[in-house]
């Protein structure tokens, strides 16, 4: 019995040692110890059910939100919010499956487009498509690219995903 | 070797190799964050295309554990994401090569019970999530529980076969 327990311990310790070494040499190691907030962030304070301000959007990014740029590909390539994935509204139904590469239906997802209440139909199109497909934690950043650039926020031209 | 011994030997081997091989694959898939659907498998077989396969990294497995909403034991999620794949790989390899077979099999059976507990809990709470198993897009559900029970049965059969083999006489009586 003691020998069996010792062998179980050796197997577990061996697995733990391999895990520790491999995790340590990863480009982005997974942290062993985190806070509860890191794992299960508290719900964001949102003033309107789904439409959020720039401040709320920035807080969402800090909380690990998945950001979706609903504009066409060429506009995305010319500049987008850093870390945003491109899911153009005009081809949403053909490409909707790509969302599952970046997010699960429970994750916080924020969609933006060109910006302005009257100029953001693209983000609403993507928002509605995601909602219909079971995404339950969606937000719309209506200020969009327009407000982002007006506030001189950092932009990126590097695509997040391989084309 | 008697016929009975040969049969039990091969039953034990096939169960060990199948269960061990599945667990090595499952552990490796979790480490890589491998994601695929059965449509992707068909595409690979038909056209040799890997378009149906994605490699998302270890954070994908961490997120799948997180989706089980384990708030009371939130502190275990990251260590589990780091260590669990390696426990699967190490025990799977031990089982394949017949090293400390009983101990490896018992660990695998315990893991299967744990997985079924988690899946059952997710079903009870009405969570509509991926099970995080083998890299497939399989959702948690009764089919997943049945699948795990089948693997559990493989492990039990392997252990039973080993016990039978040990109880058989070592050498055949020679006729005079």
């Amino acid at each position: 019995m003691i020998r069996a327990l010792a062998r179980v311990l050796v197997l577990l310790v061996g697995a733990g040692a391999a895990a520790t070494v491999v995790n340590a040499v990863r480009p982005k190691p997974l942290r062993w110890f985190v806070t509860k907030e890191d794992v299960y962030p508290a719900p964001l304070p949102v003033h309107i059910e789904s439409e959020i301000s720039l401040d709320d959007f920035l807080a969402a990014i800090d909380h690990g939100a998945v950001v979706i740029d609903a504009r066409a590909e060429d506009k995305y390539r010319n500049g987008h919010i850093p870390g945003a994935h491109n899911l153009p509204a005009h081809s949403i139904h053909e490409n909707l499956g790509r969302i599952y590469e970046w997010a699960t239906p429970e994750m916080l997802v924020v969609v933006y487009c060109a910006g302005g209440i009257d100029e953001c139909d693209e983000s609403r199109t993507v928002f509605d498509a995601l909602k219909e497909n079971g995404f339950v934690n969606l937000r719309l950043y209506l200020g969009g690219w327009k407000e982002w650039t007006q506030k001189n926020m950092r932009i990126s031209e590097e695509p997040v995903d391989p084309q | 070797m008697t016929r009975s011994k040969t049969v039990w030997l091969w039953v034990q081997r096939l169960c060990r190799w199948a269960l061990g091989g599945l667990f090595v694959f499952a552990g490796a898939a979790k480490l890589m964050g491998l994601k695929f659907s059965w449509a992707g498998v068909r595409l690979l077989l038909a056209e040799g295309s890997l378009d149906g396969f994605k490699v998302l990294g270890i954070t994908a497995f961490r997120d799948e554990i997180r989706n089980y909403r384990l708030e009371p034991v939130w502190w275990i999620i990251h260590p589990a994401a780091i260590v669990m794949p390696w426990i699967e790989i190490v025990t799977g390899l031990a089982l394949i090569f017949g090293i400390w077979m009983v101990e490896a099999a018992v660990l695998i059976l315990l893991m299967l019970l744990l997985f079924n507990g988690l899946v059952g809990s997710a079903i009870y709470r009405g969570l509509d999530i991926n099970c995080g198993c083998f890299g497939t897009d399989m959702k948690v559900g009764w089919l997943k529980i049945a699948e795990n029970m089948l693997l559990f049965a493989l492990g039990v059969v392997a252990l039973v076969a080993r016990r039978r083999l040990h109880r058989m006489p070592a050498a055949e009586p020679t006729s005079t």
Side-chain angles (χ1 to χ4, degrees):
Chain A
M1 184 69 174
I2 302 264
R3 192 166 70 170
L5 285 172
R7 287 176 176 179
V8 165
L9 201 60
V10 168
L11 286 171
L12 291 175
V13 168
T20 304
V21 169
V22 171
N23 188 56
V25 300
R26 282 177 191 279
K28 289 184 182 178
L30 207 55
R31 285 184 295 153
W32 284 90
F33 303 107
V34 293
T35 64
K36 188 175 182 182
E37 185 68 14
D38 292 325
V39 182
Y40 292 115
L44 286 172
V46 182
H47 305 296
I48 303 173
E49 188 184 330
S50 59
E51 295 168 5
I52 59 174
S53 65
L54 176 59
D55 287 340
D56 286 341
F57 181 43
L58 290 170
I61 293 174
D62 285 341
H63 276 73
V66 175
V67 180
I68 302 294
D69 184 326
R71 300 174 301 158
E73 294 92 331
D74 58 331
K75 289 182 178 163
Y76 174 84
R77 275 195 298 271
N78 287 337
H80 53 268
I81 295 174
H85 302 277
N86 189 211
L87 202 58
H90 69 82
S91 59
I92 185 62
H93 295 295
E94 295 92 295
N95 294 313
L96 185 60
R98 295 199 72 197
I99 188 67
Y100 297 103
E101 294 171 28
W102 314 316
T104 57
E106 301 79 25
M107 290 172 73
L108 177 60
V109 177
V110 183
V111 186
Y112 77 91
C113 60
I117 292 175
D118 295 322
E119 299 174 40
C120 232
D121 283 346
E122 287 171 319
S123 64
R124 290 187 193 280
T125 299
V126 172
F127 180 100
D128 289 341
L130 291 175
K131 196 170 183 180
E132 284 167 16
N133 280 271
F135 280 78
V136 297
N137 204 4
L138 292 168
R139 302 289 188 274
L140 270 177
Y141 171 43
L142 282 186
W145 184 245
K146 186 177 179 180
E147 183 181 28
W148 188 266
T149 50
Q150 279 175 347
K151 300 274 185 184
N152 294 315
M153 305 295 284
R154 195 165 60 92
I155 70 169
S156 170
E157 291 178 14
E158 291 295 320
V160 172
D161 308 296
Q163 300 300 309
Chain B
M1 188 184 287
T2 64
R3 188 174 180 172
S4 175
K5 196 166 186 175
T6 304
V7 168
W8 280 112
L9 183 64
W10 278 101
V11 163
Q12 193 223 81
R13 280 176 178 170
L14 291 173
C15 287
R16 274 199 295 116
W17 293 341
L19 191 57
L22 277 169
F23 263 72
V24 170
F25 176 75
K30 289 177 175 75
L31 274 181
M32 294 189 297
L34 178 67
K35 294 289 152 219
F36 66 96
S37 63
W38 293 114
V41 174
R42 287 194 291 274
L43 192 63
L44 175 66
L45 294 174
E47 298 174 22
S49 167
L50 289 173
D51 285 348
F53 291 74
K54 293 179 180 55
V55 175
L56 304 175
I58 191 72
T59 52
F61 179 51
R62 185 271 316 270
D63 291 340
E64 281 170 343
I65 301 177
R66 205 163 58 175
N67 289 341
Y68 280 84
R69 305 305 305 186
L70 302 173
E71 278 92 340
V73 288
W74 58 269
W75 43 269
I76 212 169
I77 289 175
H78 272 230
I82 296 170
V83 177
M84 182 64 76
W86 282 102
I87 296 178
E88 292 183 354
I89 291 172
V90 166
T91 52
L93 287 173
L95 207 58
I96 288 171
F97 293 108
I99 302 168
W100 297 349
M101 184 213 143
V102 172
E103 290 80 9
V106 167
L107 275 175
I108 284 178
L109 295 181
L110 287 174
M111 279 192 280
L112 286 167
L113 287 176
L114 172 66
F115 297 157
N116 263 4
L118 286 171
V119 171
S121 165
I123 295 172
Y124 177 74
R125 289 178 288 153
L127 297 179
D128 181 23
I129 57 175
N130 281 351
C131 85
C133 320
F134 300 115
T136 65
D137 53 3
M138 191 175 193
K139 297 274 192 177
V140 295
W142 293 108
L143 189 61
K144 185 65 218 165
I145 290 193
E147 184 184 292
N148 285 346
M149 295 301 292
L150 185 64
L151 296 178
F152 192 91
L154 271 181
V156 169
V157 168
L159 288 172
V160 166
R162 181 183 180 279
R163 193 174 175 83
R164 288 266 178 154
L165 283 166
H166 273 238
R167 284 185 170 176
M168 287 179 180
E172 294 172 16
T174 54
S175 57
T176 54

